[in-house]
Amino acid sequence: MTGNRLIYALARLSDRERALLLVLGAVFVPLALVFFAVLPMMQARDAARDAAAEAEAVRNWVADQVRLLPAEGQATGTPGVLAAPIGISAIEQSLLRAGLRDRVADLSNRSGGGVDLAFDAVEFQGLAAWLQDITPDWGYRIAAFRFEQGAGPGLVRASFELEGLQ
């Protein structure tokens, strides 16, 4: 019954009005579909691919750092000898030299001689370079760590739990 009403409504329209309805249906509806459905899905897909590429880069960096670590309980400088923990003030000084001290959210001693270290928004490349420079002989091992995507491109939130090697 509704099909008949539609046919009668279209029959009452002029040829020009029917042509305009045809253009509306053939051009504007697909355009609206593209702009309101397809393009947002493509943008979401691109954002997901970017996030996956960034996560892959972080995973590869962590895997590289693990391969570079000395055997458990040994510092790279002197085989067979444990390095003494450098302490929280030496860590702070190394952060100052690397230009990362202002990015530190938490730097505190833990019970048992460990250190908690957290960054709110730090450039990943700078953090990676600092870790690579300091880890061979700082006297700590990373007991736990966490990286999360930061507020901007290339920025991460990071936290580390450090334990003394002794």
Side-chain angles (χ1 to χ4, degrees), residues 9-20:
L10 288 175
R12 286 185 285 182
L13 297 176
S14 68
D15 290 338
R16 190 166 121 193
E17 291 171 328
R18 280 189 287 240
L20 286 174

Side-chain angles (χ1 to χ4, degrees), residues 13 16 22 36 38 46-47 56 61 66 77 82 84 117 119 122 125 133 137 146 149 153 155-156 166:
L13 297 176
R16 190 166 121 193
L22 180 64
F36 293 114
V38 175
D46 291 343
E56 180 74 15
W61 177 83
V66 167
L82 293 177
L117 177 61
F119 297 89
V122 65
Q125 295 294 333
D133 287 343
D137 48 47
R146 181 181 190 130
Q149 182 177 357
L155 296 178
V156 294
Q166 295 180 343

